[in-house]
Amino acid sequence: MDNINVLIIEDTPAESDALVKVLTANNYNIVGIATNYNEALKLFYQNPIDIAIVDVFLDGRPDGITFAETINIVPNGLKPFVFLTSSKDRQIFERAKLTKPFSFLLKPFNELEILYALEMAVEKFYGQTNVFVSEEQDTVISDDYLFIKKNKALKKVRIEDIVYIEVEDRYCNIITEAEKFVILISLTKILQFLDPDKFCQTHRNYIVNSSKIEEIIVNDNLVVLKGNHKITLSDKYKDFVKKFRILR
Amino acid sequence: MAKIRLFTTSILFFLSFFLFSQERQHVGNLMDIAIKAKIKKFKENTNFDKAQMFFRQGIWDSTLVYSMKEMSNTKNKELTDYCHYFRGISFKEKKLFNESKKEFNEISNNFQFFYKVKIKLGEIALGQNEFENALQYFEEIEKLPNVSNYDLKKSNVLHNIGLCYLHLKKFDKAEEYLFKSTKLQETEKDTLMLIGSYMDIATLYYEQYKDNQAIPYFEKAYHLSKKAKSFELRRTATKNMAVVEENRKNFPLALAYRKEYEKWKDSLNDQNKVWAIADLEKKFAVKQKQKEVNILEAENKVKAAERNGLLFSSVLLLILFGTGVYFYRQKIKNNKIILAQKNELDELNATKDKLFSIVSHDLRSSVNALKISNTKLIENLETKNFDELDVLLHNNSTIANGAYNLLDNLLNWALLQTKQTYFFQESLHLATIVQHVEYNYKPLMLNKNINYENRVSKTDYVFADLDSLKIIIRNLLDNAIKFSKENGTISIYTRTSSDDFCYLVIEDTGLGMSASTQEELLKETVLLSKKKNDDAIGTGLGMQLCKSLIHKNGGKLEIESEENVGTKIIIVLQKFKDHG
């Protein structure tokens, strides 16, 4: 489970300091603080970034929005943004809204609000709203990561690293090669967002990362995975074997 | 020369005479009876009835009119034949011989009185000097067997034949026929015809220069004519005598005849003149009448025009009046609206001024408090009284917070009024938003030792604008803290919600308020009300702002309060429909 990488684009040191303080306290990883447009672009492309916090006004110009617009032009380059602004000026908002999806935070804000804004940005960006505030789910699934809410903050897990998922009631045990943890999500939801080419269900309660399979013992109804995890293969889901080219 | 003249006059004379005889002829004869029979048979054809009536009375124009009407209405062959006959006679009487001929030719061969038609055609031909044709017609009639059965005078036919021969210079035949006719006329004692016949015979002989034979006939005609009433006849007879005597060189006698002729001519002229004058008088009278009629018509026209003009102008006036009244009323209405708006604006301006004074007063006192506090702070710092410093700094922080909140509300109020804010309603998790707001007030409540509870349902999603919802909750929570005593309780919770609305209650155990104050607060007014306990409370701007924002989010504000017991402020918010 990794920390979330955050890029801060903010020209006022006092504000950025406050942000850094709150975010680091909540186990977010600050990859950089940009104070102008060019710096922001540089940092954005040089570092792996999960979320960007962007002040709308840099040196009195709405460069924050210009930055978002610039990123927006490149397909797939966009990341979740949180816009910071001290005024609800309509014209600025109408412009910022063009970079969809769009979430914002009005200054002054407290700790809860900034954390909430980050969660909202992730939810909206991956089109899975009302996840983190609800009591049924705590994970948003993107193509590469699971974004999991742990306590007050977000964490991420690379989907590639998952070996298998064990479903237990409303919970899912995520087993990676290094660790094991529980997330709150239903089986149907998780199947809906996981790539079916990479993950297959072998049992009512098991979802397996097909790239981690080492051996399938059909007679014993067993799937052996990396790290010597042995998973039951039920008759109902045996068909998944057909997806693999079988050597004879 | 003289002879030729005599000849022509005699012919002219004879023609007129001839026609006269025919007119008289058909009264009370066979045809009359036949016509009467037809009227009985065709009772419903009033036009025919009228036509025949006028025909018998010799009113030719009317006859023409009604016969034409009858012809256009009826398909009956018999009736059309009669009508053509009437028209033929009428035209002939009016000397329109060609028209007459046409009409006669229209009559079918089956017509009961077809022989009469022939006679008429013959007469017309004679009148138009087409003697050969005339002769043909007459001879056809003469050849008819048993002429007496027909309603005509054989003497006339014979006479006419003779006349034709005379004109064709076939004197033998002429002589024969004329004598025949004369004989018949002598037996019939038809004096007028006889005179004509004698004259024609005389003319016949005279043409042949058989003066000796001619003269006795002239004389006979002359003597007979003296008994006749017709001036014209007498005149012609006398003239003939005059010409004869002139030719015999018997001038004195000729002169006598001439004089007599002139006399007859004069008397004829006189008669004609009388007729002409009568005619003129009639025409004049008609003209006069026509003039009167014209004048009356003109008067009528003028009257009509006057009436129309009056009507038109009155209608125009009415419309003008109507529009005038309409615009006047419109103007009054506009004035009323303008007056109402002016009053409203005045009120609003007064409110704004009041708001200014209150806000600036509050800010001034806040800043003044800070100033005093800061002075104390410096004093205490100098005396190194650190316990007091802590108290003073907290005090300062509170004052700054209050001032900040006031300014924040002021800004939001201004933005709301000018509609400059970005307003976007979305699904919001109510519990989370309440947590965000309460986070800032926790230290304050802790300071005042207030027992705080948050029992907001975690399943409620509302449809609202995030920042306006935050402003609302912040203000209401701020109020709740402000009006709470030490060790009071504040709780925020949701009531069981309906399908469409979510009820967020902010309850405190503070001062509470009277019913009148509640009413004042909830009133749909832009006026700000200053509350009783001035020292503790600000402008009322916050409450007003809350009301406006709740309204804008499609919600409602309710108050349940009891003085010295506590207040429940209930915010009714729209639910987000996609999430239960």
Side-chain angles (χ1 to χ4, degrees):
Chain A
M1 218 186 259
D2 302 316
N3 289 344
I4 304 283
N5 295 324
V6 181
L7 172 67
I8 297 172
I9 303 169
E10 169 64 74
D11 60 335
T12 321
E15 303 252 7
S16 57
D17 286 350
L19 270 175
V20 169
K21 198 178 151 197
V22 170
L23 293 180
T24 44
N26 285 288
N27 294 319
Y28 281 91
N29 183 29
I30 312 294
V31 293
I33 300 163
T35 54
N36 59 49
Y37 173 76
N38 291 326
E39 221 179 314
L41 277 181
K42 208 170 124 195
L43 284 170
F44 186 82
Y45 285 116
Q46 275 174 0
N47 298 288
I49 285 168
D50 297 312
I51 306 171
I53 298 172
V54 186
D55 191 354
V56 168
F57 285 96
L58 299 174
D59 282 333
R61 289 189 306 271
D63 274 353
I65 293 172
T66 319
F67 167 75
E69 283 165 353
T70 313
I71 302 300
N72 213 8
I73 292 163
V74 186
N76 305 322
L78 206 61
K79 295 284 173 185
F81 283 122
V82 175
F83 286 104
L84 292 180
T85 177
S86 52
S87 87
K88 277 190 90 178
D89 191 305
R90 206 161 54 188
Q91 282 175 338
I92 289 296
F93 269 73
E94 294 298 336
R95 202 180 142 192
K97 245 172 84 176
L98 296 175
T99 58
K100 277 178 181 171
F102 149 80
S103 49
F104 68 92
L105 185 59
L106 207 63
K107 292 181 194 174
F109 46 84
N110 59 36
E111 186 186 337
L112 292 181
E113 282 167 331
I114 183 64
L115 296 178
Y116 177 75
L118 290 174
E119 289 164 19
M120 283 297 112
V122 171
E123 276 186 6
K124 282 184 185 172
F125 190 81
Y126 296 110
Q128 297 161 48
T129 46
N130 294 326
V131 169
F132 297 123
V133 289
S134 79
E135 286 171 333
E136 291 104 46
Q137 198 178 333
D138 67 353
T139 305
V140 165
I141 303 160
S142 75
D143 288 348
D144 301 323
Y145 291 100
L146 298 181
F147 290 97
I148 304 153
K149 188 175 178 183
K150 283 279 162 205
N151 297 324
K152 287 197 299 190
L154 292 184
K155 293 278 185 184
K156 64 175 181 181
V157 172
R158 254 157 68 96
I159 287 177
E160 273 178 32
D161 294 345
I162 297 171
V163 177
Y164 73 96
I165 300 164
E166 186 187 0
V167 182
E168 243 176 62
D169 202 6
R170 286 161 57 210
Y171 299 92
C172 286
N173 285 314
I174 308 286
I175 291 95
T176 66
E177 284 177 57
E179 56 191 335
K180 178 182 172 183
F181 50 86
V182 179
I183 62 169
L184 184 63
I185 194 166
S186 69
L187 177 73
T188 42
K189 263 275 169 63
I190 202 164
L191 277 173
Q192 183 189 335
F193 289 107
L194 284 175
D195 186 350
D197 290 339
K198 286 177 186 160
F199 286 87
C200 23
Q201 198 168 0
T202 62
H203 182 264
R204 201 166 57 89
N205 289 339
Y206 291 105
I207 299 163
V208 161
N209 186 345
S210 48
S211 63
K212 303 284 185 188
I213 296 174
E214 298 211 311
E215 197 179 357
I216 300 173
I217 307 164
V218 183
N219 289 343
D220 293 350
N221 282 348
L222 272 182
V223 180
V224 182
L225 300 167
K226 239 182 211 170
N228 207 24
H229 295 290
K230 291 193 176 93
I231 302 299
T232 326
L233 174 65
S234 70
D235 289 343
K236 196 183 169 193
Y237 297 101
K238 261 179 185 169
D239 282 357
F240 96 94
V241 179
K242 286 177 187 159
K243 284 204 282 186
F244 302 101
R245 216 193 297 158
I246 297 167
L247 292 170
R248 287 174 200 274
Chain B
M1 177 75 188
K3 267 187 190 168
I4 291 160
R5 199 171 141 227
L6 168 74
F7 177 65
T8 45
T9 42
S10 101
I11 287 169
L12 279 173
F13 147 74
F14 200 79
L15 278 174
S16 65
F17 170 75
F18 187 69
L19 293 171
F20 175 70
S21 78
Q22 282 304 312
E23 194 186 339
R24 211 188 51 172
Q25 188 193 334
H26 61 66
V27 181
N29 56 21
L30 266 176
M31 183 134 186
D32 232 20
I33 298 158
I35 289 170
K36 274 178 185 162
K38 292 291 161 212
I39 299 164
K40 277 185 185 165
K41 197 171 161 193
F42 299 102
K43 259 181 198 166
E44 65 276 19
N45 296 43
T46 48
N47 285 330
F48 181 72
D49 189 16
K50 280 185 180 166
Q52 66 82 23
M53 197 175 74
F54 287 122
F55 175 71
R56 288 199 300 174
Q57 287 171 359
I59 303 170
W60 309 118
D61 290 323
S62 302
T63 312
L64 281 173
V65 170
Y66 284 103
S67 59
M68 178 56 96
K69 278 186 184 172
E70 176 59 26
M71 275 203 294
S72 61
N73 283 338
T74 187
K75 291 267 159 64
N76 190 306
K77 198 75 198 149
E78 255 181 307
L79 286 185
T80 39
D81 279 346
Y82 271 107
C83 288
H84 282 303
Y85 184 73
F86 292 161
R87 291 174 70 76
I89 300 285
S90 304
F91 280 127
K92 186 159 166 287
E93 292 298 328
K94 291 175 74 72
K95 308 268 186 261
L96 299 163
F97 294 120
N98 287 329
E99 293 292 326
S100 175
K101 231 164 69 183
K102 262 191 227 163
E103 293 293 341
F104 283 130
N105 285 329
E106 294 276 335
I107 298 168
S108 66
N109 290 344
N110 305 331
F111 186 48
Q112 197 184 347
F113 300 97
F114 195 64
Y115 62 94
K116 277 197 185 224
V117 175
K118 285 271 169 71
I119 293 172
K120 297 296 168 193
L121 282 167
E123 282 167 8
I124 290 165
L126 193 59
Q128 291 182 316
N129 294 346
E130 293 164 358
F131 304 114
E132 300 274 8
N133 280 344
L135 199 59
Q136 248 177 17
Y137 285 121
F138 290 130
E139 276 174 349
E140 265 178 58
I141 300 298
E142 202 214 346
K143 275 171 201 156
L144 283 170
N146 207 356
V147 170
S148 58
N149 275 359
Y150 296 98
D151 172 34
L152 59 85
K153 277 193 174 172
K154 185 145 192 204
S155 56
N156 276 351
V157 178
L158 292 173
H159 182 102
N160 282 341
I161 294 169
L163 210 57
C164 290
Y165 281 128
L166 174 61
H167 284 294
L168 293 166
K169 313 267 180 202
K170 290 182 181 170
F171 298 116
D172 299 345
K173 288 241 175 167
E175 195 178 355
E176 186 194 326
Y177 279 103
L178 282 175
F179 272 116
K180 264 191 203 170
S181 98
T182 316
K183 232 181 248 171
L184 270 173
Q185 282 159 354
E186 271 167 359
T187 54
E188 284 164 9
K189 294 193 175 158
D190 195 334
T191 327
L192 290 176
M193 291 291 281
L194 207 54
I195 297 166
S197 292
Y198 285 155
M199 274 199 282
D200 282 341
I201 292 166
T203 316
L204 171 76
Y205 288 131
Y206 216 70
E207 276 284 287
Q208 292 172 290
Y209 299 99
K210 294 177 180 171
D211 287 14
N212 292 334
Q213 275 169 296
I215 291 164
Y217 280 105
F218 277 127
E219 279 174 346
K220 252 186 187 174
Y222 173 67
H223 288 301
L224 264 176
S225 74
K226 280 189 178 169
K227 290 173 196 166
K229 279 174 189 170
S230 168
F231 288 121
E232 184 121 12
L233 210 59
R234 284 188 200 177
R235 187 174 66 101
T236 321
T238 318
K239 192 182 169 196
N240 283 348
M241 284 307 292
V243 173
V244 168
E245 291 303 328
E246 262 174 45
N247 286 354
R248 280 202 290 191
K249 316 279 184 213
N250 196 349
F251 292 114
L253 211 57
L255 200 67
Y257 282 125
R258 270 282 166 203
K259 277 184 182 161
E260 196 182 340
Y261 162 70
E262 291 292 330
K263 198 178 83 191
W264 295 132
K265 198 179 159 190
D266 282 354
S267 60
L268 191 71
N269 278 355
D270 281 353
Q271 206 184 22
N272 284 347
K273 263 180 196 164
V274 168
W275 279 112
I277 286 167
D279 205 36
L280 262 171
E281 269 178 1
K282 208 167 125 191
K283 272 185 190 166
F284 183 72
V286 167
K287 257 188 195 167
Q288 209 71 3
K289 270 273 181 284
Q290 189 60 41
K291 254 188 201 168
E292 266 174 45
V293 167
N294 284 347
I295 287 167
L296 280 174
E297 257 175 24
E299 271 177 7
N300 274 348
K301 262 187 197 168
V302 167
K303 271 182 190 167
E306 250 175 38
R307 201 182 52 225
N308 282 350
L310 203 71
L311 199 74
F312 183 69
S313 53
S314 59
V315 165
L316 205 76
L317 266 169
L318 204 72
I319 290 170
L320 217 69
F321 182 71
T323 40
V325 166
Y326 174 75
F327 279 113
Y328 181 68
R329 291 185 73 171
Q330 208 70 5
K331 199 189 157 221
I332 286 179
K333 216 192 257 173
N334 282 346
N335 279 351
K336 261 186 196 167
I337 291 169
I338 289 169
L339 197 72
Q341 282 172 340
K342 186 186 168 282
N343 287 340
E344 204 180 333
L345 281 176
D346 282 350
E347 231 169 68
L348 280 173
N349 204 28
T351 313
K352 230 142 238 184
D353 289 346
K354 199 171 144 196
L355 181 71
F356 256 129
S357 69
I358 294 168
V359 167
S360 46
H361 181 261
D362 277 17
L363 277 177
R364 203 181 75 148
S365 36
S366 290
V367 173
N368 193 37
L370 266 181
K371 252 171 76 183
I372 293 165
S373 179
N374 279 348
T375 323
K376 272 187 194 165
L377 207 65
I378 293 165
E379 276 172 16
N380 281 317
L381 195 67
E382 277 169 0
T383 56
K384 308 224 163 140
N385 187 351
F386 292 117
D387 294 345
E388 188 60 23
L389 266 179
D390 186 55
V391 174
L392 280 170
L393 277 172
H394 273 105
N395 190 24
N396 274 8
S397 166
T398 316
I399 293 166
N401 261 335
Y404 177 79
N405 282 345
L406 176 62
L407 283 171
D408 195 43
N409 279 344
L410 200 60
L411 173 69
N412 283 319
W413 174 261
L415 286 175
L416 187 72
Q417 297 301 312
T418 50
K419 298 191 172 82
Q420 277 176 349
T421 33
Y422 173 79
F423 189 84
F424 178 72
Q425 280 180 288
E426 58 189 327
S427 161
L428 295 172
H429 190 236
L430 192 58
T432 311
I433 307 301
V434 173
Q435 273 172 23
H436 291 175
V437 177
E438 83 190 15
Y439 186 85
N440 288 350
Y441 285 97
K442 277 203 169 140
L444 202 63
M445 289 190 281
L446 205 67
N447 210 25
K448 228 176 168 181
N449 207 10
I450 288 168
N451 180 24
Y452 175 77
E453 275 179 63
N454 179 354
R455 302 196 305 271
V456 178
S457 156
K458 293 251 163 78
T459 55
D460 276 342
Y461 289 89
V462 294
F463 185 64
D465 173 61
L466 175 65
D467 277 289
S468 47
L469 183 60
K470 275 188 194 170
I471 292 166
I472 294 160
I473 299 172
R474 192 186 302 149
N475 270 293
L476 294 176
L477 195 60
D478 194 49
N479 278 349
I481 294 165
K482 213 184 281 177
F483 292 108
S484 282
K485 297 159 216 157
E486 297 243 339
N487 306 317
T489 303
I490 295 174
S491 43
I492 301 186
Y493 55 92
T494 41
R495 279 186 184 173
T496 31
S497 51
S498 70
D499 284 349
D500 295 327
F501 290 102
C502 193
Y503 298 87
L504 181 72
V505 186
I506 297 165
E507 187 180 350
D508 67 60
T509 53
L511 289 172
M513 53 181 124
S514 64
S516 63
T517 317
Q518 288 174 43
E519 212 176 296
E520 189 91 343
L521 278 177
L522 292 176
K523 235 193 244 169
E524 277 298 320
T525 171
V526 279
L527 281 172
L528 296 165
S529 47
K530 185 77 182 169
K531 277 159 270 173
K532 285 180 284 179
N533 33 353
D534 280 7
D535 50 333
I537 307 137
T539 51
L541 183 67
M543 207 59 194
Q544 203 60 43
L545 186 63
C546 283
K547 245 164 58 186
S548 301
L549 286 174
I550 289 169
H551 193 73
K552 200 175 177 186
N553 276 297
K556 264 191 305 193
L557 182 74
E558 286 167 14
I559 299 173
E560 289 171 16
S561 181
E562 213 177 310
E563 271 185 291
N564 298 318
V565 174
T567 306
K568 283 183 201 170
I569 306 267
I570 301 134
I571 313 166
V572 187
L573 288 164
Q574 280 181 297
K575 263 193 173 175
F576 187 69
K577 294 285 163 55
D578 290 0
H579 298 270

